[in-house]
Amino acid sequence: MSTLASELTQAMTTSTSDLSVFDRESENWRQHPWPEVHAAAQSFAARLLDEDLGGAVGLVGDPTFELVAAIVGTWLA
């Protein structure tokens, strides 16, 4: 695991803070604990490693829980 991935994992899994994202449908802010975001990122990283994408990943979208987890997941992969 790279130094970045290791430090990011440590920070996310021990954090008591939340990621806050705006849900356009409900027009409310939603909080997600950072350890939950990390778990989703690990799942995304595992899927990336299972696919043979040749090292290329493109992520586009609104700043949702899923997009943030996917960004972290690419770093972890």
Side-chain angles (χ1 to χ4, degrees), residues 50-74:
D50 285 344
E51 301 289 326
D52 186 14
L53 303 175
V57 177
L59 300 170
V60 178
D62 290 331
T64 61
F65 166 83
E66 293 80 9
L67 181 63
V68 172
I71 291 167
V72 175
T74 58

PDB file of all heavy atoms in Angstrom, residues 50-74:
ATOM      1  N   ASP A  50     -10.520  -5.869  -9.871  1.00  0.00           N
ATOM      2  CA  ASP A  50     -11.076  -7.045 -10.544  1.00  0.00           C
ATOM      3  C   ASP A  50     -11.225  -6.825 -12.041  1.00  0.00           C
ATOM      4  O   ASP A  50     -11.126  -7.751 -12.827  1.00  0.00           O
ATOM      5  CB  ASP A  50     -12.442  -7.419  -9.969  1.00  0.00           C
ATOM      6  CG  ASP A  50     -12.329  -8.089  -8.606  1.00  0.00           C
ATOM      7  OD1 ASP A  50     -11.221  -8.538  -8.251  1.00  0.00           O
ATOM      8  OD2 ASP A  50     -13.349  -8.158  -7.903  1.00  0.00           O
ATOM      9  N   GLU A  51     -11.476  -5.580 -12.433  1.00  0.00           N
ATOM     10  CA  GLU A  51     -11.605  -5.225 -13.848  1.00  0.00           C
ATOM     11  C   GLU A  51     -10.225  -4.908 -14.391  1.00  0.00           C
ATOM     12  O   GLU A  51      -9.388  -4.375 -13.694  1.00  0.00           O
ATOM     13  CB  GLU A  51     -12.498  -3.979 -14.011  1.00  0.00           C
ATOM     14  CG  GLU A  51     -13.892  -4.137 -13.468  1.00  0.00           C
ATOM     15  CD  GLU A  51     -14.760  -5.072 -14.279  1.00  0.00           C
ATOM     16  OE1 GLU A  51     -14.592  -5.096 -15.528  1.00  0.00           O
ATOM     17  OE2 GLU A  51     -15.563  -5.793 -13.679  1.00  0.00           O
ATOM     18  N   ASP A  52     -10.007  -5.200 -15.635  1.00  0.00           N
ATOM     19  CA  ASP A  52      -8.725  -4.848 -16.248  1.00  0.00           C
ATOM     20  C   ASP A  52      -8.930  -3.589 -17.075  1.00  0.00           C
ATOM     21  O   ASP A  52      -9.228  -3.647 -18.262  1.00  0.00           O
ATOM     22  CB  ASP A  52      -8.210  -5.996 -17.117  1.00  0.00           C
ATOM     23  CG  ASP A  52      -6.819  -5.734 -17.649  1.00  0.00           C
ATOM     24  OD1 ASP A  52      -6.153  -4.801 -17.145  1.00  0.00           O
ATOM     25  OD2 ASP A  52      -6.402  -6.455 -18.566  1.00  0.00           O
ATOM     26  N   LEU A  53      -8.791  -2.442 -16.434  1.00  0.00           N
ATOM     27  CA  LEU A  53      -9.035  -1.159 -17.095  1.00  0.00           C
ATOM     28  C   LEU A  53      -7.761  -0.535 -17.650  1.00  0.00           C
ATOM     29  O   LEU A  53      -7.795   0.562 -18.186  1.00  0.00           O
ATOM     30  CB  LEU A  53      -9.706  -0.181 -16.120  1.00  0.00           C
ATOM     31  CG  LEU A  53     -11.023  -0.650 -15.512  1.00  0.00           C
ATOM     32  CD1 LEU A  53     -11.514   0.353 -14.480  1.00  0.00           C
ATOM     33  CD2 LEU A  53     -12.064  -0.859 -16.598  1.00  0.00           C
ATOM     34  N   GLY A  54      -6.668  -1.191 -17.484  1.00  0.00           N
ATOM     35  CA  GLY A  54      -5.413  -0.658 -17.986  1.00  0.00           C
ATOM     36  C   GLY A  54      -4.932   0.574 -17.249  1.00  0.00           C
ATOM     37  O   GLY A  54      -4.169   1.370 -17.787  1.00  0.00           O
ATOM     38  N   GLY A  55      -5.383   0.763 -16.029  1.00  0.00           N
ATOM     39  CA  GLY A  55      -4.939   1.892 -15.224  1.00  0.00           C
ATOM     40  C   GLY A  55      -5.702   3.179 -15.470  1.00  0.00           C
ATOM     41  O   GLY A  55      -5.407   4.189 -14.848  1.00  0.00           O
ATOM     42  N   ALA A  56      -6.683   3.161 -16.362  1.00  0.00           N
ATOM     43  CA  ALA A  56      -7.444   4.377 -16.663  1.00  0.00           C
ATOM     44  C   ALA A  56      -8.798   4.353 -15.961  1.00  0.00           C
ATOM     45  O   ALA A  56      -9.520   3.369 -16.030  1.00  0.00           O
ATOM     46  CB  ALA A  56      -7.656   4.503 -18.164  1.00  0.00           C
ATOM     47  N   VAL A  57      -9.095   5.451 -15.256  1.00  0.00           N
ATOM     48  CA  VAL A  57     -10.380   5.583 -14.578  1.00  0.00           C
ATOM     49  C   VAL A  57     -10.877   6.997 -14.813  1.00  0.00           C
ATOM     50  O   VAL A  57     -10.125   7.955 -14.658  1.00  0.00           O
ATOM     51  CB  VAL A  57     -10.253   5.334 -13.056  1.00  0.00           C
ATOM     52  CG1 VAL A  57     -11.567   5.555 -12.353  1.00  0.00           C
ATOM     53  CG2 VAL A  57      -9.717   3.944 -12.786  1.00  0.00           C
ATOM     54  N   GLY A  58     -12.136   7.130 -15.190  1.00  0.00           N
ATOM     55  CA  GLY A  58     -12.755   8.443 -15.346  1.00  0.00           C
ATOM     56  C   GLY A  58     -13.945   8.551 -14.407  1.00  0.00           C
ATOM     57  O   GLY A  58     -14.781   7.651 -14.372  1.00  0.00           O
ATOM     58  N   LEU A  59     -14.008   9.613 -13.641  1.00  0.00           N
ATOM     59  CA  LEU A  59     -15.105   9.814 -12.693  1.00  0.00           C
ATOM     60  C   LEU A  59     -15.746  11.166 -12.957  1.00  0.00           C
ATOM     61  O   LEU A  59     -15.062  12.184 -12.945  1.00  0.00           O
ATOM     62  CB  LEU A  59     -14.591   9.750 -11.253  1.00  0.00           C
ATOM     63  CG  LEU A  59     -13.936   8.439 -10.831  1.00  0.00           C
ATOM     64  CD1 LEU A  59     -13.265   8.597  -9.471  1.00  0.00           C
ATOM     65  CD2 LEU A  59     -14.960   7.328 -10.791  1.00  0.00           C
ATOM     66  N   VAL A  60     -17.047  11.145 -13.192  1.00  0.00           N
ATOM     67  CA  VAL A  60     -17.773  12.373 -13.487  1.00  0.00           C
ATOM     68  C   VAL A  60     -19.098  12.328 -12.735  1.00  0.00           C
ATOM     69  O   VAL A  60     -19.743  11.280 -12.654  1.00  0.00           O
ATOM     70  CB  VAL A  60     -18.067  12.485 -15.004  1.00  0.00           C
ATOM     71  CG1 VAL A  60     -18.861  13.737 -15.311  1.00  0.00           C
ATOM     72  CG2 VAL A  60     -16.776  12.451 -15.800  1.00  0.00           C
ATOM     73  N   GLY A  61     -19.503  13.445 -12.180  1.00  0.00           N
ATOM     74  CA  GLY A  61     -20.813  13.488 -11.539  1.00  0.00           C
ATOM     75  C   GLY A  61     -20.896  14.536 -10.462  1.00  0.00           C
ATOM     76  O   GLY A  61     -19.930  15.237 -10.160  1.00  0.00           O
ATOM     77  N   ASP A  62     -22.075  14.617  -9.881  1.00  0.00           N
ATOM     78  CA  ASP A  62     -22.296  15.517  -8.759  1.00  0.00           C
ATOM     79  C   ASP A  62     -21.497  15.018  -7.559  1.00  0.00           C
ATOM     80  O   ASP A  62     -21.209  13.827  -7.454  1.00  0.00           O
ATOM     81  CB  ASP A  62     -23.783  15.556  -8.388  1.00  0.00           C
ATOM     82  CG  ASP A  62     -24.622  16.265  -9.438  1.00  0.00           C
ATOM     83  OD1 ASP A  62     -24.079  17.158 -10.123  1.00  0.00           O
ATOM     84  OD2 ASP A  62     -25.810  15.918  -9.580  1.00  0.00           O
ATOM     85  N   PRO A  63     -21.161  15.915  -6.645  1.00  0.00           N
ATOM     86  CA  PRO A  63     -20.373  15.513  -5.468  1.00  0.00           C
ATOM     87  C   PRO A  63     -21.235  14.740  -4.462  1.00  0.00           C
ATOM     88  O   PRO A  63     -21.686  15.274  -3.462  1.00  0.00           O
ATOM     89  CB  PRO A  63     -19.877  16.841  -4.903  1.00  0.00           C
ATOM     90  CG  PRO A  63     -20.897  17.838  -5.352  1.00  0.00           C
ATOM     91  CD  PRO A  63     -21.389  17.348  -6.688  1.00  0.00           C
ATOM     92  N   THR A  64     -21.466  13.471  -4.758  1.00  0.00           N
ATOM     93  CA  THR A  64     -22.270  12.602  -3.908  1.00  0.00           C
ATOM     94  C   THR A  64     -21.372  11.728  -3.042  1.00  0.00           C
ATOM     95  O   THR A  64     -20.156  11.656  -3.254  1.00  0.00           O
ATOM     96  CB  THR A  64     -23.147  11.682  -4.775  1.00  0.00           C
ATOM     97  OG1 THR A  64     -22.279  10.868  -5.579  1.00  0.00           O
ATOM     98  CG2 THR A  64     -24.093  12.475  -5.665  1.00  0.00           C
ATOM     99  N   PHE A  65     -21.988  11.043  -2.105  1.00  0.00           N
ATOM    100  CA  PHE A  65     -21.281  10.056  -1.282  1.00  0.00           C
ATOM    101  C   PHE A  65     -20.566   9.045  -2.177  1.00  0.00           C
ATOM    102  O   PHE A  65     -19.395   8.722  -1.966  1.00  0.00           O
ATOM    103  CB  PHE A  65     -22.297   9.352  -0.368  1.00  0.00           C
ATOM    104  CG  PHE A  65     -21.775   8.099   0.281  1.00  0.00           C
ATOM    105  CD1 PHE A  65     -21.010   8.170   1.432  1.00  0.00           C
ATOM    106  CD2 PHE A  65     -22.064   6.849  -0.248  1.00  0.00           C
ATOM    107  CE1 PHE A  65     -20.530   7.019   2.042  1.00  0.00           C
ATOM    108  CE2 PHE A  65     -21.594   5.695   0.355  1.00  0.00           C
ATOM    109  CZ  PHE A  65     -20.828   5.784   1.504  1.00  0.00           C
ATOM    110  N   GLU A  66     -21.265   8.557  -3.186  1.00  0.00           N
ATOM    111  CA  GLU A  66     -20.704   7.550  -4.080  1.00  0.00           C
ATOM    112  C   GLU A  66     -19.508   8.077  -4.861  1.00  0.00           C
ATOM    113  O   GLU A  66     -18.522   7.362  -5.047  1.00  0.00           O
ATOM    114  CB  GLU A  66     -21.779   7.029  -5.038  1.00  0.00           C
ATOM    115  CG  GLU A  66     -22.879   6.233  -4.377  1.00  0.00           C
ATOM    116  CD  GLU A  66     -23.961   7.081  -3.694  1.00  0.00           C
ATOM    117  OE1 GLU A  66     -23.981   8.312  -3.861  1.00  0.00           O
ATOM    118  OE2 GLU A  66     -24.776   6.487  -2.971  1.00  0.00           O
ATOM    119  N   LEU A  67     -19.576   9.321  -5.319  1.00  0.00           N
ATOM    120  CA  LEU A  67     -18.454   9.885  -6.073  1.00  0.00           C
ATOM    121  C   LEU A  67     -17.237  10.082  -5.165  1.00  0.00           C
ATOM    122  O   LEU A  67     -16.119   9.760  -5.555  1.00  0.00           O
ATOM    123  CB  LEU A  67     -18.832  11.211  -6.743  1.00  0.00           C
ATOM    124  CG  LEU A  67     -17.714  11.847  -7.571  1.00  0.00           C
ATOM    125  CD1 LEU A  67     -17.326  10.951  -8.746  1.00  0.00           C
ATOM    126  CD2 LEU A  67     -18.124  13.222  -8.064  1.00  0.00           C
ATOM    127  N   VAL A  68     -17.454  10.577  -3.971  1.00  0.00           N
ATOM    128  CA  VAL A  68     -16.334  10.762  -3.044  1.00  0.00           C
ATOM    129  C   VAL A  68     -15.702   9.403  -2.736  1.00  0.00           C
ATOM    130  O   VAL A  68     -14.480   9.253  -2.745  1.00  0.00           O
ATOM    131  CB  VAL A  68     -16.787  11.480  -1.750  1.00  0.00           C
ATOM    132  CG1 VAL A  68     -15.671  11.499  -0.712  1.00  0.00           C
ATOM    133  CG2 VAL A  68     -17.259  12.892  -2.066  1.00  0.00           C
ATOM    134  N   ALA A  69     -16.525   8.397  -2.479  1.00  0.00           N
ATOM    135  CA  ALA A  69     -16.006   7.050  -2.221  1.00  0.00           C
ATOM    136  C   ALA A  69     -15.244   6.509  -3.436  1.00  0.00           C
ATOM    137  O   ALA A  69     -14.204   5.866  -3.285  1.00  0.00           O
ATOM    138  CB  ALA A  69     -17.135   6.101  -1.834  1.00  0.00           C
ATOM    139  N   ALA A  70     -15.735   6.797  -4.639  1.00  0.00           N
ATOM    140  CA  ALA A  70     -15.056   6.335  -5.854  1.00  0.00           C
ATOM    141  C   ALA A  70     -13.704   7.026  -6.028  1.00  0.00           C
ATOM    142  O   ALA A  70     -12.720   6.388  -6.439  1.00  0.00           O
ATOM    143  CB  ALA A  70     -15.939   6.588  -7.063  1.00  0.00           C
ATOM    144  N   ILE A  71     -13.631   8.296  -5.708  1.00  0.00           N
ATOM    145  CA  ILE A  71     -12.355   9.018  -5.797  1.00  0.00           C
ATOM    146  C   ILE A  71     -11.339   8.401  -4.835  1.00  0.00           C
ATOM    147  O   ILE A  71     -10.206   8.106  -5.218  1.00  0.00           O
ATOM    148  CB  ILE A  71     -12.552  10.519  -5.515  1.00  0.00           C
ATOM    149  CG1 ILE A  71     -13.350  11.178  -6.650  1.00  0.00           C
ATOM    150  CG2 ILE A  71     -11.211  11.224  -5.309  1.00  0.00           C
ATOM    151  CD1 ILE A  71     -13.862  12.564  -6.332  1.00  0.00           C
ATOM    152  N   VAL A  72     -11.758   8.183  -3.606  1.00  0.00           N
ATOM    153  CA  VAL A  72     -10.862   7.573  -2.631  1.00  0.00           C
ATOM    154  C   VAL A  72     -10.507   6.152  -3.069  1.00  0.00           C
ATOM    155  O   VAL A  72      -9.367   5.709  -2.939  1.00  0.00           O
ATOM    156  CB  VAL A  72     -11.485   7.594  -1.220  1.00  0.00           C
ATOM    157  CG1 VAL A  72     -10.607   6.844  -0.234  1.00  0.00           C
ATOM    158  CG2 VAL A  72     -11.720   9.030  -0.753  1.00  0.00           C
ATOM    159  N   GLY A  73     -11.485   5.435  -3.599  1.00  0.00           N
ATOM    160  CA  GLY A  73     -11.259   4.067  -4.058  1.00  0.00           C
ATOM    161  C   GLY A  73     -10.220   3.976  -5.153  1.00  0.00           C
ATOM    162  O   GLY A  73      -9.424   3.031  -5.187  1.00  0.00           O
ATOM    163  N   THR A  74     -10.183   4.977  -6.034  1.00  0.00           N
ATOM    164  CA  THR A  74      -9.153   4.954  -7.088  1.00  0.00           C
ATOM    165  C   THR A  74      -7.769   5.135  -6.477  1.00  0.00           C
ATOM    166  O   THR A  74      -6.820   4.505  -6.938  1.00  0.00           O
ATOM    167  CB  THR A  74      -9.398   6.035  -8.164  1.00  0.00           C
ATOM    168  OG1 THR A  74      -9.428   7.318  -7.569  1.00  0.00           O
ATOM    169  CG2 THR A  74     -10.699   5.777  -8.919  1.00  0.00           C
TER     170      THR A  74
END
